[in-house]
Structure formats: structure tokens, C-alpha cells
Amino acid sequence: MAKPYLVSQSIEHPEKNRCVDIVQQQDGKYRFQEWRRDIEDTSGWILLFDSQPVVFESEAAAMSAATLRCNWSRKDSGLL
């Protein structure tokens, strides 16, 4: 069964312990998710935040909101 969404972008922190996914939903709108993982924890990525029910009309708008929420991902940090 196919997922009801598509991850259009995934931005990972250089330390490989955080990432932001920009998600395109079936209705064509976007949201973002912030994830983290601990190297010593083998359970994988843990969802920290999902912008849903807030959704965005464009990928750029979701990315802009993600950079406000996730200060480690801001352009001045060199990640975006």
C-alpha cells in the first residue's frame, strides 16, 4: 500500500541527529516534520513535531515555517 504522502525534501543536520522533512500530502498541500535520533538508540528516528493540522499551500511556505521552528536549519547556519 502506498503512503498517503510524499517527502519532497529532507534536510539533515551535519551531526546526523536531526532532520526536517517537507511532506506533500495527497491534497497537494504541504506540511513539515522535525525528527531526531540518538546514535546510541537503535530504535531510529523519533518525531518531535508535525505541523499538521497546519498545512501550507506551497513547498516554499512549508520550508519557511520549518526554518522558523527549527533554528538549527536556518540558512545562516549553512544547512539550507
Side-chain angles (χ1 to χ4, degrees):
M1 179 184 235
K3 293 180 184 178
Y5 61 88
L6 168 72
V7 175
S8 64
Q9 287 193 59
S10 186
I11 297 91
E12 193 168 2
H13 189 279
E15 293 178 11
K16 310 287 187 206
N17 62 353
R18 290 192 180 261
C19 88
V20 169
D21 288 344
I22 304 300
V23 177
Q24 183 179 20
Q25 304 179 144
Q26 284 183 325
D27 63 3
K29 295 186 180 188
Y30 293 84
R31 68 181 202 270
F32 70 90
Q33 298 174 324
E34 181 182 14
W35 299 83
R36 77 166 175 84
R37 70 174 167 188
D38 298 317
I39 301 299
E40 63 277 358
D41 183 357
T42 59
S43 63
W45 290 98
I46 299 165
L47 181 63
L48 295 176
F49 182 81
D50 190 328
S51 67
Q52 195 172 33
V54 176
V55 294
F56 305 90
E57 295 294 325
S58 69
E59 184 178 38
M63 181 63 76
S64 179
T67 58
L68 290 174
R69 160 99 181 140
C70 310
N71 62 357
W72 62 265
S73 68
R74 292 194 179 140
K75 290 183 181 187
D76 57 335
S77 71
L79 295 173
L80 297 177

